[in-house]
Amino acid sequence: MRPIEYIRDYRQQSLTMLARLPEQEVADLIGLLEDARQQGSQVFICGNGGSAAMASHLAGELGKEASWGKDKRFRVLSLTDNIPWMLAIANDLDFNQIFVEQLKNFGSGGDLLLVFSTSGNSSNILEVVHWANQHQLTTVGVTGKPGGQLVQEVRLPILIDSSHTGRIQEGHFLIQHLISYFFAEND
């Protein structure tokens, strides 16, 4: 396939996926975030690889864009951003514990845990979701299809209608901007 054909085909598949974005589930997530903000609950976000970058990006958007100039601000923390702590946990304990061990220090009932995972099967994501569920945090998982074990574990699963990593991440990125700009442009 020539590059121009590949670009056109990829773009069309991305547009098709974006047109099938799960609107109600994203609206439900916005509602959960609004509740967390109003109640002063902590919002935790995490993911691996590209999803880690998504977690960091959304934390920045909620902390700045969606909070700036507002009376009620988001108390948001990306569990992907403390590299020394994560590496100490991975080295001394187990890589599967890198998120849950951090959440044990900060999380409590009524807080919100939002995880990004393209497969829905990452062990460290499932570990943190399991602990969060046991300790009465609200859990949301944003993933691709078919969603893996994550969709069975979280309170609110949000599935991007694709199994292609790039398109899943494109869907995740759009969801992040829908969330952050909803709060930035509405009050």
Side-chain angles (χ1 to χ4, degrees):
M1 180 180 290
R2 295 180 347 189
I4 194 71
E5 293 166 344
Y6 179 82
I7 291 167
R8 289 176 181 156
D9 181 62
Y10 189 102
R11 181 182 60 201
Q12 185 55 52
Q13 289 182 43
S14 292
L15 291 170
T16 299
M17 176 276 302
L18 293 173
R20 292 193 294 248
L21 193 75
E23 294 172 352
Q24 185 58 58
E25 289 83 354
V26 175
D28 292 345
L29 173 54
I30 289 172
L32 291 172
L33 287 163
E34 175 62 21
D35 290 346
R37 182 175 71 166
Q38 290 302 319
Q39 296 167 12
S41 300
Q42 185 75 43
V43 177
F44 300 98
I45 312 171
C46 62
N48 291 295
S51 296
M54 297 283 178
S56 293
H57 179 82
L58 182 56
E61 291 285 323
L62 289 175
K64 189 257 181 196
E65 230 20 75
S67 292
W68 185 77
K70 310 283 185 187
D71 291 334
K72 291 279 191 172
R73 299 172 70 93
F74 281 99
R75 297 180 61 234
V76 59
L77 179 68
S78 171
L79 299 176
T80 63
D81 291 341
N82 194 328
I83 302 300
W85 193 358
M86 287 173 46
L87 292 176
I89 293 168
N91 185 62
D92 298 343
L93 301 172
D94 186 276
F95 186 76
N96 291 335
Q97 303 298 308
I98 64 171
F99 300 130
V100 70
E101 286 299 315
Q102 293 181 75
L103 190 60
K104 286 177 183 179
N105 284 37
F106 296 115
S108 62
D111 289 340
L112 175 65
L113 173 67
L114 172 57
V115 300
F116 289 91
S117 173
T118 56
S119 71
N121 288 315
S122 299
S123 296
N124 56 12
I125 295 296
L126 296 172
E127 287 281 337
V128 74
V129 167
H130 180 72
W131 187 90
N133 285 334
Q134 287 183 322
H135 292 86
Q136 289 74 49
L137 281 77
T138 301
T139 54
V140 179
V142 185
T143 188
K145 283 202 173 172
Q149 188 177 343
L150 184 62
V151 299
Q152 304 303 316
E153 302 290 329
V154 294
R155 174 179 166 191
L156 175 61
I158 302 175
L159 280 77
I160 301 302
D161 192 12
S162 180
S163 60
H164 183 276
T165 300
R167 282 185 277 287
I168 294 168
Q169 290 177 343
E170 290 162 14
H172 291 180
F173 196 68
L174 179 58
I175 287 171
Q176 289 184 41
H177 277 170
L178 287 169
I179 292 167
S180 59
Y181 285 98
F182 173 84
F183 288 108
E185 297 173 357
N186 294 284
D187 204 12

